[in-house]
Amino acid sequence: MNATAVLAYSGGLDTSCAIAWLREDYGFESVVAVLVDVGQELDIEASIARGYTAGADDVLLLDRKDAFADEQCARAIKTNALYEGRYPLVSALSRPVIADAVAQVALELGAEAVVHGCTGKGNDQLRFELAFRSHYPGVRVIAPLRDRIWTREEEIEYARARGIPVTHTAASPFSIDENLFGRAIEAGVLEDPWVAPPEGPYALTSDPASAPAPTEIVVGFEAGLPVSLDGEKLQLAPLIGRLNALAGAYGIGRIDMIENRAVGIKSREVYEAPAAIVLIEAHRALEDVVLTKDEARVKHGLETRWTELVYEGLWHAPVRKAIDAFVDATQELVSGEVRVELRPNAAVVTGRRSPAMLYAEQLASYGTGETFPHEAAEGFIRIASLESELVAARELVFLKHKRLAPPRQPA
Ligand code: ARG
């Protein structure tokens, strides 16, 4: 062990100040800042320079965009993961990737502590710390923004006094987290749930009112994962990037919700996740024609559970991996194409096809040439209604008085 702290560094004001605090207040001899690229909009040079100005001995930039897309985003799509039915887990998915990268650096350096910039009010502290400890059991975890509450003004003052440049975004009243899969916006005027979200903090989506004319796209899937857009094969990370631009122009994936945080409070959250919403809609539509009724039903229950686990920081839990094994077993044949119309504020599935469809037109059709065994329906329903008939007959015998009670006279 040495007196080194390894910090999950975002390049923003909080974690820049944290570098200085770790030396000045916590007494670390050296601070290594790890900046993990998960597809966020980032001024890399400026962030690295700010890290050194704040006193980091080293600022490491680790590119995890593809790993994030191919593991976390891919699993979220296969699982149709929408927390409380709406939020595609944007921040929750990125935390284990960032935390694992930070913990790995700490392990390699034999560092004493790992550090994150989360406050004590959010879910992210849970996600970081569970992932840190899952990757580096026994490590000391420090959360400077939970140990001491700073106002924005105090932080800005502190940074300026040390020559740490404070950017325009750092001074913004919103707290924003972003990655390839979307953006999460909170605080500022959004804290009043009656106030409509202003246009300002949106970056991935345009106002649906100024959307272009509706257009149709075709998303191709193989084994539950999107692999092409309009016939063009793409790796998942660039596919998500392309689709964010396409669907974002229609304001698709803007989500304004009150959500239940793990720490027991309700919070007002605004998200924009255009590609995530389109891909989950399309994926579900393809599953509709491929999965058996019971696969779909069991999977649906597990999807909710998986989403809650990941939201609450349990990415590394064995049960999450066990659910993944079930999900993977259902996805083998989820291949095909989905037509999606992009409209203002909506991704509307207009068609789906798969070589592995269980949907059989000759059985479902009301037209000529259909092959449904109509004669078998009578016997099927006769048997299915046996129990209902027994219950009704029993009621006639034992609950006669109830049934035959004279109707009440109207007043
Ligand atoms: N409430 C969301 C979640 O728990 C978003 C958190 C984003 N963090 C932030 N600093 N804005 O996943």
Side-chain angles (χ1 to χ4, degrees), residues 17-296:
C17 288
I19 294 173
W21 297 329
L22 286 165
R23 288 181 166 284
E24 294 175 19
D25 301 351
Y26 293 82
F28 282 94
E29 278 164 28
S30 88
V31 177
V32 175
V34 179
L35 180 55
V36 182
D37 182 356
V38 281
Q40 67 273 45
E41 196 57 55
L42 191 66
D43 185 339
I44 291 172
E45 252 117 74
S47 299
I48 292 177
R50 192 175 305 121
Y52 284 116
T53 310
D57 294 80
D58 218 343
V59 182
L60 306 175
L61 174 69
L62 304 178
D63 182 353
R64 293 288 183 276
K65 274 195 296 288
D66 283 311
F68 175 55
D70 295 334
E71 179 63 13
Q72 279 75 15
C73 300
R75 295 224 161 272
I77 295 165
K78 287 199 261 189
T79 314
N80 302 318
L82 295 174
Y83 181 68
E84 296 185 337
R86 302 181 68 195
Y87 164 43
L89 292 181
V90 175
S91 301
L93 293 170
S94 74
R95 299 319 185 200
V97 186
I98 299 169
D100 286 359
V102 170
Q104 185 57 33
V105 170
L107 264 176
E108 284 164 15
L109 295 176
E112 185 190 320
V114 288
V115 188
H116 64 74
C118 307
T119 68
K121 266 193 176 174
N123 300 308
D124 285 330
Q125 51 179 339
L126 203 63
R127 299 164 183 157
F128 270 110
E129 293 187 34
L130 265 67
F132 281 154
R133 294 191 173 102
S134 297
H135 202 93
Y136 187 167
V139 71
R140 177 179 168 202
V141 178
I142 300 176
L145 284 119
R146 190 174 58 198
D147 290 346
R148 183 177 157 185
I149 320 285
W150 292 71
T151 66
R152 207 71 184 160
E153 293 68 35
E154 285 168 342
E155 260 190 359
I156 290 173
E157 185 67 21
Y158 180 91
R160 289 215 167 108
R162 278 153 191 80
I164 303 168
V166 178
T167 60
H168 174 67
T169 33
S172 134
F174 299 103
S175 164
I176 296 177
D177 180 52
E178 63 179 4
N179 59 54
L180 184 65
F181 216 42
R183 295 176 82 244
I185 307 159
E186 53 191 36
V189 291
L190 299 172
E191 285 172 3
D192 179 348
W194 179 249
V195 171
E199 218 29 55
Y202 288 118
L204 281 179
T205 55
S206 306
D207 185 346
S210 53
T215 179
E216 191 182 89
I217 58 167
V218 176
V219 188
F221 284 86
E222 265 168 36
L225 283 181
V227 292
S228 67
L229 277 185
D230 291 327
E232 185 188 342
K233 290 259 173 214
L234 289 165
Q235 293 295 308
L236 190 52
L239 187 150
I240 291 171
R242 182 91 62 93
L243 195 51
N244 271 336
L246 281 172
Y250 293 85
I252 292 167
R254 283 192 178 184
I255 301 153
D256 173 5
M257 69 188 280
I258 303 290
E259 98 195 8
N260 289 292
R261 285 193 186 167
V263 291
I265 61 173
K266 291 189 189 295
S267 68
R268 200 312 174 66
E269 307 278 338
V270 172
Y271 300 106
E272 40 180 0
I277 294 301
V278 173
L279 292 173
I280 290 174
E281 282 293 327
H283 176 256
R284 272 187 178 151
L286 193 58
E287 284 188 322
D288 288 344
V289 290
V290 173
L291 300 190
T292 64
K293 177 173 68 182
D294 284 321
E295 276 180 306

